[in-house]
Amino acid sequence: GGAHSHKIRALEAKSPGLLEKYPAITTGFFFFMWYFLNVIFNILNKKIYNYFPYPYFVSVIHLLVGVVYCLLSWAVGLPKRAPINATLLKLLFPVALCHALGHVTSNVSFATVAVSFAHTIKALEPFFNAAATQFVLGQTVPLSLWLSLAPVVLGVSMASLTELSFSWKGFINAMISNISFTYRSIYSKKAMTDMDSTNVYAYISIIALVVCIPPALIIEGPQLMQYGLNDAIAKVGMTKFVSDLFLVGLFYHLYNQIATNTLERVAPLTHAVGNVLKRVFVIGFSIIIFGNKITTQTGIGTCIAIAGVALYSYIKAKIEEEKRVSFPSIIP
């Protein structure tokens, strides 16, 4: 009966299908979707700003579509809604506040300067992360990490000096978003609960939405009511305006969802490298699609910055890897 049982085993091995057998295909698909959605989001977002320059309002729409999506998912029980209480709310509130601030300031920067440039400034986020780790959390950042950040700072500075779309408003907002996202990562480490990432992201979106609505009403409300909305509808028509806003919100939510799912699937190193490549894609595509003129120096600066981030990510992930090997019992 040996041959017979061997045949059955072979059949059983085939039945799980390609995805079980080659997890790399699934992971590759996740990465592809993450990049694809991210590039589409960035391009559509900028196209909207070109005819409707109201980043606070658009930020609210991004979050709103995501929240509606989450509420519908909860309603059908995919996933089941995790219960929330005052303690959890206290933990998640700072994360959501940083999420809201980082999100709005990113959008002000996207609306004000070229997408490629905004992403070049956002490449400085690891620098702020390292600074916060060292000076806020008081953990030593290895010299190799600091050194790998030198080209990032240099590259962003070079790119900024000759960037044709440069404006202080765009630059400073992108910087504020770097700082916000850095604090978001610090607070979210504190808020690591038993809740799954999908639920956490849903709650954070809801809180961030509530936080974003008042400033949008105060800062942009009056212009929107007077002429903002009418201008946009006059330019592109009601249908396109509404569907653009809906789609951009949907892409924003989906790329974040997929990014989180990708995160859970891969090692820190893979994810870090993936994150850098994502920026390369977004910068590259936005330059091509919007026909951004960039000076040679901006181009070189952007490349140096991205190379620095790549090096930084590699070193950081290596350190994480070593930590995990040396203290396997402490870190799950």
Side-chain angles (χ1 to χ4, degrees), residues 211-226:
V211 170
C212 285
I213 288 172
L217 287 175
I218 295 163
I219 296 169
E220 291 176 352
Q223 293 106 299
L224 280 178
M225 294 321 294
Q226 277 169 353

Side-chain angles (χ1 to χ4, degrees), residues 170-318:
F171 183 81
I172 289 165
N173 273 285
M175 283 299 198
I176 296 171
S177 101
N178 283 335
I179 296 165
S180 309
F181 287 143
T182 294
Y183 273 96
R184 183 183 69 180
S185 70
I186 291 174
Y187 287 126
S188 56
K189 281 196 183 74
K190 285 184 190 165
M192 275 306 160
T193 55
D194 308 328
M195 213 189 275
D196 62 296
S197 59
T198 314
N199 267 302
V200 169
Y201 186 67
Y203 281 122
I204 286 173
S205 298
I206 292 169
I207 304 166
L209 175 63
V210 173
V211 170
C212 285
I213 288 172
L217 287 175
I218 295 163
I219 296 169
E220 291 176 352
Q223 293 106 299
L224 280 178
M225 294 321 294
Q226 277 169 353
Y227 50 84
L229 292 166
N230 293 335
D231 281 3
I233 293 163
K235 274 181 206 154
V236 296
M238 187 65 150
T239 320
K240 183 172 161 54
F241 180 50
V242 173
S243 60
D244 274 1
L245 287 176
F246 170 72
L247 282 173
V248 84
L250 193 62
F251 282 119
Y252 173 72
H253 181 76
L254 289 177
Y255 102 71
N256 273 297
Q257 188 80 61
I258 300 249
T260 317
N261 299 350
T262 312
L263 257 177
E264 291 175 334
R265 294 188 64 84
V266 297
L269 180 63
T270 317
H271 181 257
V273 173
N275 231 336
V276 179
L277 277 178
K278 181 200 77 179
R279 264 196 221 297
V280 175
F281 270 82
V282 172
I283 289 172
F285 274 105
S286 75
I287 288 174
I288 297 163
I289 286 181
F290 293 107
N292 288 0
K293 299 278 175 284
I294 57 164
T295 61
T296 314
Q297 185 180 320
T298 295
I300 293 168
T302 302
C303 292
I304 294 174
I306 296 293
V309 176
L311 185 63
Y312 167 87
S313 304
Y314 178 74
I315 297 170
K316 188 167 162 59
K318 270 274 177 276

Side-chain angles (χ1 to χ4, degrees), residues 123-133 141-152 182 185 189 268-269 272-273 276 304-320:
L124 275 176
E125 200 186 317
F127 174 78
F128 288 96
N129 272 332
T133 307
V141 173
L143 185 63
S144 56
L145 270 185
W146 280 116
L147 291 175
S148 72
L149 287 167
V152 185
T182 294
S185 70
K189 281 196 183 74
L269 180 63
V273 173
V276 179
I304 294 174
I306 296 293
V309 176
L311 185 63
Y312 167 87
S313 304
Y314 178 74
I315 297 170
K316 188 167 162 59
K318 270 274 177 276
I319 294 167
E320 293 288 318

